[in-house]
Amino acid sequence: TVRFSPDGKHLASVNGGALRIWNAADSRELSSFKVEGVPVWSGDSQRIACVVEGTTIKAWEVATGRQLVERDPHDHGTVE
């Protein structure tokens, strides 16, 4: 799976259980995370989210790779 960010500056690829974030201009890898499923970009291209470990949803800040959210939707919470 490959997805461009809404602003076209980054590319997200998922292969072999790894989500990799790339700089679209120079093909430099910026971050890598262990995931399952298809990544979803935020509308402003600043964050990306994906399913991890079956049902848990995690989101990261693209610029730093910092994890922002970890949520199991079965706990009846919402992802902010």
Side-chain angles (χ1 to χ4, degrees):
T1 301
V2 176
R3 297 204 176 207
F4 277 94
S5 60
D7 65 7
K9 295 180 181 179
H10 298 95
L11 181 75
S13 66
V14 176
N15 188 13
L19 165 64
R20 290 182 170 83
I21 308 297
W22 307 86
N23 181 313
D26 63 10
S27 302
R28 183 173 41 96
E29 184 176 326
L30 303 175
S31 302
S32 179
F33 312 100
K34 184 178 176 184
V35 301
E36 302 166 14
V38 178
V40 178
W41 287 97
S42 63
D44 63 4
S45 302
Q46 300 300 308
R47 293 167 304 283
I48 193 163
C50 201
V51 173
V52 179
E53 299 169 1
T55 60
T56 300
I57 298 168
K58 290 187 180 182
W60 300 271
E61 184 176 53
V62 173
T64 65
R66 181 174 64 97
Q67 183 179 313
L68 302 171
V69 172
E70 181 174 349
R71 182 68 52 100
D72 184 337
H74 294 117
D75 69 8
H76 304 290
T78 58
V79 176
E80 299 172 5

